[in-house]
Amino acid sequence: MGFVKIPDSSELLKMLSKQGIATEDIIGYCQADLTADGCYAHYGLVLTHDQLVVAFAPKRSADKVFAGYRGMAKESWFGESVTLSCFPLEQVDSLKVEELIGGGSLCCFGKQNRTLCCATGQYMAELRQFCKVFAKVKEGTPLQEEDYKADSRPEFCDKCGTPYVDRDRKICPKCMDRRSLFVRTFAYFKPHKWRVIAIMLVFLVHSLIYATLPYFSGVVYFDDVLGKKATFQGFWSLAGGDFVLLMCLTLGTFLVLRLITVITQSLQAIMVAKIVPRVLCKIKQDVFSALKRLSLKFFTDRQTGPLMTRVLGDAGEITSFFIDGLPYVFGDGVHVIATIAMMFVMNWQMAVLAVTVVPTLTFFSNLLRPMLWHLHGKRHRAARGVNGVLNDSLTGARVIKAFGKEKGAIQGFEKASNRMATTEVSVVAYENRYFVLFSLGESLLNIAVWFVGAWLIIQSGHTEMSYGTLATFTAFVGYLSGPLQRMTDMFRWGTSSMNAAQRIFEIIDAHPDVEEKPEPVVIDRMRGEVALNNVTFSYQPGHPVLKDVSFTIPAGQMLGIVGRSGVGKSTLVSLIARLYDPDSGEITIDGVRLTDLSMDSLHRCVSTVSQESYVFMGTVAENIAYVRPNATRKEIVAAAVSAGAHDFICRFPDGYDTVIGSGGRQLSGGERQRLSVARAILADSPILILDEATASVDTATERQIQAALNRLIQGRTTISIAHRLSTLRNANMLLVMEDGKVAEYGTHEQLMEQQGIYYKLVELQTKALSLEGRQAAMNENLTIE
Amino acid sequence: MTDQNIVKKEEQLVGDLLETRFLTPRGAIFSQTEGGFLSLAVDGTDYGRVKVIRAFPFTDPARYLSVRQADNEEREIGMIEDLDVFDPDTIGWITRQLEMRYFVPKILKVREIKEEYGYSYWWVETDKGTCRFTCDQNGVTKLSDTRLLISDIDGNRFELADTGGLSAKELRMVDLYM
């Protein structure tokens, strides 16, 4: 059994069996790929019950291939040059993975202390797992199935090996091809299918009429009317000789046809205007609801500005293509086919000439497409950059002003917008070059038609070619170039709109890291016993923020968490609120795993008061009732009273109906904090998380909020993070965190006895406090005197 | 205890946390163990195995090195302001540690960059050999106008020290990700 199996055919197995190690003796195996001197190599680490074997082979193949790169053979072992070094287990006390930048090293301690090998990022998870297994073997603890499960890694498509766009996204972007993208986007138009069909019909009529117009202005007008053809007179059953009337009739028909095309055009516009806003609206709603559903990680990984560009810009781009673009492709297609058919009927030589130039033009435009694609992507990125800078400087306006850094901010914006201008220029320049080439091709085609037509007339003397046919052909070519240009244009448009669609669906499809199980456990009222069992978590692969954290809080008790900033306290509580899922280990409430619990039950059972208390747009009452929108006014007021918020709310001219949040009344830090306490009181959940709830307020306000909180924590399981140790006076248990681990755990008295980190912190703070107290006392004395 | 005494004690406590000791060849004696670990003794105190971390890994890699204990706490023992003042052996040992920690192949030549579905596939020649790796959308970080740090999906890093040294064709490929 091994988490990475050694392939049966591997040379390594043969070498090991020569050393007397049978395959079934191997209880652990992992790979590494870097020497301590920084050379790529092959390492195989093999663990048996009595020894650790390090197999090493220098790298022979030309290219070092990292995870995710497709189309390359897996790196393999080279039999003859493998060297084995064996370490008896009794000589090795422990193995440790040292985190380095982008990778790590494996160190062994014991009789010899040394670096065994290094590894790039792709093998880090394996190595860590190997060390865990090693530790268990050393301790003599029996191994379990779980020990062989590697930490989560980016996943790759089974079919083609493409890494998924989002880690847990189950749809491969490659196997989900452009066609399905197109079909999917098309689905948004399904509710409007009759309108879409109507638009298509109108386009059909329009194109057919448009295609026949040159025939009227050419062959009919020049040859039949002006050429005074008898058969044509018979067609209209007119008396001989009245050619003026005949001319008027022909021109009249011409006029009517033109009128119909104008009417169909305006009909199209009206119908399009009816569909676009609705589809646009639906796409935006889908994206927005996807954004809300996604876990916090999605947002912390991206800037907010680019996300907004995506939702607003991309939806518009997609819709405009489907409405202003696609029907034209259909109409133009009909037009081109009809025109070409008529050309061949009238004169095949000239038709062949015209038709050979069509694919040539398309071919050249195809050649130029990939570059356009890239340039558009770049322009999009630059636009996102500008938005990002703008967003950054608007949200940070206070800091910028305070430090007088307006100039720097302006420069930053100038830099970003300059970059955007440069990319814009290169896009336009490239498009220009493209259009010049296209027009040139078109002009050449025109001249060729004139030339060949005239040649045929001169040579054959009207038998093969009439003046009218030539006039019709020149008009055909003229009318053909419009649709052709649009159709080649459509490639570009389609490209960028499929790009936009891809970006949109990326959001809509992104699977939340934190997801509810298909059949979750629903519990109405929980007691609130929280237990963490060997929880490990990292924001970035390879940099665990929490390592093997375990503790239990009995229902109704209070746990205080202490530790320096950045030590993982806030991360720990956000795991309990399930903003993230742990990489390994489990968190349970009342014995039910968080991952099994329904989101609804979880939200009802855990509420958080954090340092940054966000206020939503809306009234004070709505903000308090955020978690329970159907709360009565009485309950809202009661919650506000116990949060100490009632007083200041009543002092607002509009009372509980005061509109706050962006655009509304500004609240002070303390006021906002008390609102969020009121929110938590109203939520009335059995588990309460206080994440430095009083960190951003002054001492007097803090005392008030603390009083409110003390009332709130009665009878609830409370997890409180605090820098000021005095706020943890009521805690049943204290937990001191250090470097992502539980460093100390116990009651206040126990920890004071230990004289460890907690003891030092208490010492430091009482001294600071006594100093403060003395200072305050002195000041008071001064004022009294 | 008088107020002055409290203030003094307080200042000392805070001072321990807030002051940085600078290590010089006079007090700090580095050595390398057989197994390739770096150890340090300062003024007679033996700290055993230590780690060396760059404070400015991109802008000043040879100066302002933070020397830390190798245990989980990673408490700082002191900083090296300038590595060059040490003896050649020490410089060699510390450089070896740094090179192991900051293993970043330098890209010499860009063979090909393909893009597909938000991932870019790089095929480059580096000072450590030819590499093929995959980046996501946030893979390229601009360290300066001409210097790029490229991280693949596993966090492996590659450095493009100067985009000015690339050929026009290479630059065109890289430019799309800048």
Side-chain angles (χ1 to χ4, degrees):
Chain A
M1 188 161 63
F3 25 93
V4 176
K5 265 198 117 173
I6 308 177
D8 288 339
S9 59
S10 166
E11 287 292 329
L12 184 61
L13 280 183
K14 281 182 214 156
M15 301 225 19
L16 288 173
S17 69
K18 266 185 213 158
Q19 292 280 316
I21 300 169
T23 312
E24 51 277 12
D25 290 340
I26 299 169
I27 48 176
Y29 171 69
C30 80
Q31 298 178 76
D33 58 349
L34 196 63
T35 68
D37 298 321
C39 293
Y40 293 122
H42 300 285
Y43 279 101
L45 298 146
V46 179
L47 181 66
T48 69
H49 278 289
D50 49 14
Q51 59 182 331
L52 171 71
V53 183
V54 179
F56 165 79
K59 184 157 182 57
R60 281 259 200 91
S61 66
D63 292 6
K64 170 74 190 161
V65 182
F66 288 88
Y69 202 95
R70 290 175 301 110
M72 297 297 292
K74 272 249 167 192
E75 300 195 297
S76 61
W77 281 86
F78 300 95
E80 67 275 24
S81 55
V82 175
T83 47
L84 296 181
S85 11
C86 302
F87 301 87
L89 274 204
E90 63 267 15
Q91 285 182 16
V92 184
D93 294 336
S94 65
L95 280 185
K96 203 181 144 208
V97 178
E98 200 105 314
E99 304 278 342
L100 303 177
I101 308 299
S105 66
L106 185 68
C107 303
C108 89
F109 299 94
K111 194 178 168 209
Q112 279 180 306
N113 293 339
R114 52 174 292 181
T115 306
L116 288 176
C117 62
C118 292
T120 62
Q122 58 186 333
Y123 292 118
M124 286 300 285
E126 272 182 40
L127 273 182
R128 272 194 290 271
Q129 202 68 25
F130 188 77
C131 287
K132 253 189 217 169
V133 171
F134 181 87
K136 283 210 166 180
V137 170
K138 242 347 230 189
E139 281 170 22
T141 338
L143 291 167
Q144 285 153 355
E145 193 67 38
E146 274 180 9
D147 295 320
Y148 291 105
K149 262 192 245 155
D151 289 350
S152 62
R153 276 178 48 77
E155 287 171 39
F156 306 102
C157 175
D158 298 335
K159 245 189 257 171
C160 61
T162 305
Y164 291 142
V165 173
D166 255 296
R167 233 147 237 226
D168 295 320
R169 186 173 164 185
K170 277 127 199 161
I171 300 160
C172 169
K174 184 173 179 102
C175 302
M176 183 185 84
D177 58 350
R178 310 246 139 202
R179 195 171 298 150
S180 71
L181 214 60
F182 182 85
V183 170
R184 230 182 122 180
T185 320
F186 209 77
Y188 278 99
F189 293 88
K190 236 184 182 165
H192 312 279
K193 77 175 162 237
W194 293 115
R195 280 218 178 86
V196 172
I197 290 171
I199 290 181
M200 292 291 182
L201 278 178
V202 169
F203 265 97
L204 186 72
V205 172
H206 180 89
S207 310
L208 283 177
I209 293 176
Y210 221 75
T212 50
L213 281 179
Y215 188 77
F216 280 93
S217 61
V219 174
V220 174
Y221 196 67
F222 279 92
D223 293 348
D224 294 352
V225 179
L226 298 183
K228 300 183 180 174
K229 237 180 215 164
T231 45
F232 190 63
Q233 269 179 38
F235 174 73
W236 287 97
S237 49
L238 279 175
D242 198 354
F243 284 104
V244 178
L245 183 61
L246 194 59
M247 181 191 77
C248 289
L249 270 175
T250 315
L251 284 182
T253 321
F254 196 73
L255 188 70
V256 169
L257 288 176
R258 274 318 292 244
L259 261 178
I260 295 174
T261 60
V262 171
I263 292 167
T264 50
Q265 228 157 10
S266 52
L267 265 178
Q268 284 160 25
I270 291 165
M271 284 192 282
V272 162
K274 279 192 176 160
I275 299 180
V276 176
R278 293 203 187 129
V279 174
L280 203 60
C281 179
K282 178 81 178 88
I283 294 180
K284 281 182 193 168
Q285 279 169 3
D286 277 6
V287 173
F288 190 75
S289 63
L291 282 179
K292 288 285 112 183
R293 195 191 64 224
L294 287 174
S295 46
L296 208 56
K297 212 165 185 166
F298 190 87
F299 299 98
T300 45
D301 284 355
R302 293 164 176 81
Q303 283 170 289
T304 328
L307 274 179
M308 282 172 11
T309 325
R310 240 186 229 201
V311 178
L312 302 177
D314 289 347
E317 197 158 353
I318 296 170
T319 344
S320 75
F321 170 70
F322 270 82
I323 286 299
D324 294 335
L326 216 52
Y328 279 96
V329 174
F330 172 74
D332 291 340
V334 171
H335 181 118
V336 168
I337 290 167
T339 306
I340 289 174
M342 286 200 287
M343 279 178 164
F344 271 100
V345 170
M346 288 166 67
N347 184 302
W348 69 268
Q349 292 107 318
M350 288 190 60
V352 167
L353 171 76
V355 165
T356 44
V357 185
V358 179
T360 321
L361 276 176
T362 323
F363 175 74
F364 277 113
S365 88
N366 267 352
L367 272 189
L368 302 172
R369 256 172 77 202
M371 189 64 190
L372 269 178
W373 188 324
H374 268 308
L375 284 173
H376 277 274
K378 199 174 170 187
R379 180 168 67 179
H380 191 88
R381 275 196 284 264
R384 281 196 304 194
V386 171
N387 272 7
V389 170
L390 196 62
N391 197 26
D392 214 36
S393 58
L394 288 183
T395 35
R398 186 180 283 266
V399 183
I400 294 170
K401 284 271 174 210
F403 288 99
K405 285 288 173 199
E406 290 93 338
K407 227 181 232 170
I410 293 169
Q411 275 169 359
F413 186 75
E414 272 174 1
K415 213 172 160 190
S417 58
N418 275 341
R419 203 174 303 138
M420 168 142 174
T422 320
T423 54
E424 191 82 52
V425 166
S426 60
V427 168
V428 172
Y430 193 80
E431 279 180 350
N432 261 338
R433 230 180 306 160
Y434 168 86
F435 285 127
V436 164
L437 283 172
F438 193 91
S439 315
L440 195 69
E442 201 177 72
S443 310
L444 283 174
L445 176 65
N446 264 328
I447 289 172
V449 167
W450 280 109
F451 179 81
V452 175
W455 179 267
L456 284 173
I457 291 175
I458 293 167
Q459 288 293 308
S460 67
H462 295 280
T463 50
E464 295 222 4
M465 189 88 180
S466 65
Y467 292 133
T469 316
L470 178 57
T472 303
F473 259 94
T474 46
F476 268 158
V477 171
Y479 280 157
L480 201 59
S481 74
L484 265 183
Q485 188 151 351
R486 262 205 301 276
M487 280 170 88
T488 42
D489 226 20
M490 214 51 70
F491 284 127
R492 177 184 57 106
W493 201 352
T495 305
S496 75
S497 110
M498 282 302 108
N499 262 350
Q502 186 212 322
R503 283 191 295 264
I504 289 243
F505 288 135
E506 193 189 305
I507 294 181
I508 293 180
D509 291 343
H511 265 269
D513 302 319
V514 175
E515 218 176 353
E516 198 173 50
K517 255 180 82 171
E519 278 169 33
V521 179
V522 179
I523 297 178
D524 254 0
R525 186 73 201 173
M526 306 197 87
R527 286 177 294 115
E529 186 197 84
V530 179
L532 272 78
N533 195 359
N534 296 84
V535 168
T536 300
F537 175 76
S538 57
Y539 289 102
Q540 279 176 315
H543 297 274
V545 183
L546 297 176
K547 301 167 196 160
D548 263 337
V549 177
S550 306
F551 60 80
T552 308
I553 318 167
Q557 292 217 346
M558 177 176 177
L559 175 79
I561 302 180
V562 183
R564 280 180 296 174
S565 33
V567 84
K569 304 184 299 278
S570 296
T571 308
L572 181 64
V573 292
S574 47
L575 286 182
I576 296 174
R578 213 180 164 206
L579 297 181
Y580 307 100
D581 275 340
D583 294 346
S584 65
E586 57 178 30
I587 303 172
T588 59
I589 295 179
D590 293 354
V592 182
R593 275 155 62 153
L594 278 197
T595 43
D596 294 339
L597 200 59
S598 80
M599 281 297 187
D600 196 43
S601 305
L602 177 69
H603 292 155
R604 258 185 290 127
C605 123
V606 181
S607 57
T608 310
V609 180
S610 71
Q611 191 176 346
E612 38 177 314
S613 44
Y614 193 76
V615 170
F616 297 94
M617 239 188 314
T619 66
V620 171
E622 282 165 0
N623 261 286
I624 295 176
Y626 186 68
V627 277
R628 265 177 58 199
N630 53 355
T632 63
R633 297 223 165 81
K634 198 174 166 191
E635 285 172 316
I636 292 173
V637 173
V641 169
S642 6
H646 180 69
D647 215 33
F648 77 81
I649 296 171
C650 286
R651 256 181 264 135
F652 291 155
D654 301 338
Y656 280 86
D657 291 328
T658 310
V659 174
I660 50 177
S662 61
R665 193 192 169 93
Q666 295 293 315
L667 297 183
S668 75
E671 288 168 342
R672 265 187 302 185
Q673 200 59 263
R674 272 174 279 182
L675 274 194
S676 60
V677 173
R679 213 182 267 164
I681 291 173
L682 194 63
D684 193 30
S685 48
I687 299 171
L688 182 68
I689 294 170
L690 305 174
D691 186 358
E692 302 199 21
T694 55
S696 57
V697 292
D698 59 274
T699 326
T701 320
E702 186 192 346
R703 225 162 273 166
Q704 285 179 24
I705 295 175
Q706 201 54 52
L709 285 178
N710 286 344
R711 230 173 304 161
L712 178 59
I713 60 182
Q714 295 300 322
R716 290 174 215 278
T717 310
T718 309
I719 301 162
S720 175
I721 296 176
H723 275 305
R724 208 163 305 199
L725 300 175
S726 57
T727 52
L728 299 179
R729 227 174 299 142
N730 303 331
N732 302 83
M733 283 300 218
L734 290 163
L735 184 144
V736 182
M737 287 190 67
E738 183 93 343
D739 191 31
K741 285 185 190 153
V742 178
E744 293 170 18
Y745 181 69
T747 62
H748 173 80
E749 288 74 27
Q750 286 169 342
L751 294 188
M752 287 306 277
E753 242 168 65
Q754 269 184 30
Q755 302 221 339
I757 305 165
Y758 182 73
Y759 174 79
K760 269 189 224 154
L761 282 171
V762 172
E763 283 266 280
L764 205 66
Q765 287 204 358
T766 29
K767 268 175 197 147
L769 275 181
S770 73
L771 196 66
E772 221 172 75
R774 257 155 222 262
Q775 213 90 47
M778 269 156 67
N779 287 347
E780 254 167 52
N781 284 342
L782 281 176
T783 43
I784 289 165
E785 279 160 19
Chain B
M1 229 192 311
T2 61
D3 286 348
Q4 262 76 27
N5 272 342
I6 295 174
V7 171
K8 232 184 212 168
K9 186 122 193 244
E10 184 76 7
E11 273 174 356
Q12 202 194 329
L13 268 165
V14 173
D16 275 353
L17 288 171
L18 296 182
E19 222 165 89
T20 292
R21 169 162 58 165
F22 280 96
L23 302 175
T24 58
R26 200 172 299 162
I29 297 156
F30 287 92
S31 53
Q32 187 172 266
T33 67
E34 215 176 305
F37 290 158
L38 185 71
S39 61
L40 169 67
V42 184
D43 299 330
T45 317
D46 190 2
Y47 287 97
R49 188 158 93 86
V50 293
K51 287 179 181 176
V52 190
I53 289 167
R54 285 174 177 151
F56 302 94
F58 303 130
T59 50
D60 208 352
R63 281 147 52 86
Y64 297 101
L65 308 174
S66 167
V67 183
R68 292 172 175 265
Q69 282 177 337
D71 54 9
N72 287 332
E73 267 187 50
E74 294 193 6
R75 199 173 285 275
E76 184 177 88
I77 300 161
M79 285 198 93
I80 297 173
E81 196 181 353
D82 191 351
L83 187 57
D84 284 345
V85 299
F86 283 87
D87 60 285
D89 274 348
T90 305
I91 295 178
W93 297 327
I94 293 181
T95 308
R96 185 171 182 268
Q97 293 294 322
L98 289 175
E99 277 174 2
M100 190 163 107
R101 181 175 183 83
Y102 299 90
F103 177 74
V104 182
K106 291 194 175 47
I107 296 175
L108 308 172
K109 193 169 162 18
V110 179
R111 289 243 189 120
E112 184 186 71
I113 306 171
K114 282 184 296 184
E115 192 183 354
E116 219 177 30
Y117 311 110
Y119 286 94
S120 50
Y121 298 88
W122 297 61
W123 181 20
V124 297
E125 275 168 32
T126 72
D127 56 346
K128 302 287 180 189
T130 311
C131 294
R132 293 167 187 262
F133 57 90
T134 309
C135 295
D136 62 14
Q137 275 154 337
N138 310 320
V140 179
T141 315
K142 240 179 161 174
L143 297 179
S144 77
D145 279 342
T146 56
R147 192 172 167 205
L148 302 179
L149 184 74
I150 300 142
S151 318
D152 90 338
I153 47 174
D154 279 322
N156 297 310
R157 290 178 168 191
F158 300 87
E159 189 188 335
L160 188 52
D162 182 14
T163 50
L166 296 175
S167 72
K169 191 183 158 213
E170 291 172 289
L171 196 60
R172 217 178 309 131
M173 289 191 284
V174 174
D175 193 43
L176 291 164
Y177 303 94
M178 281 165 70

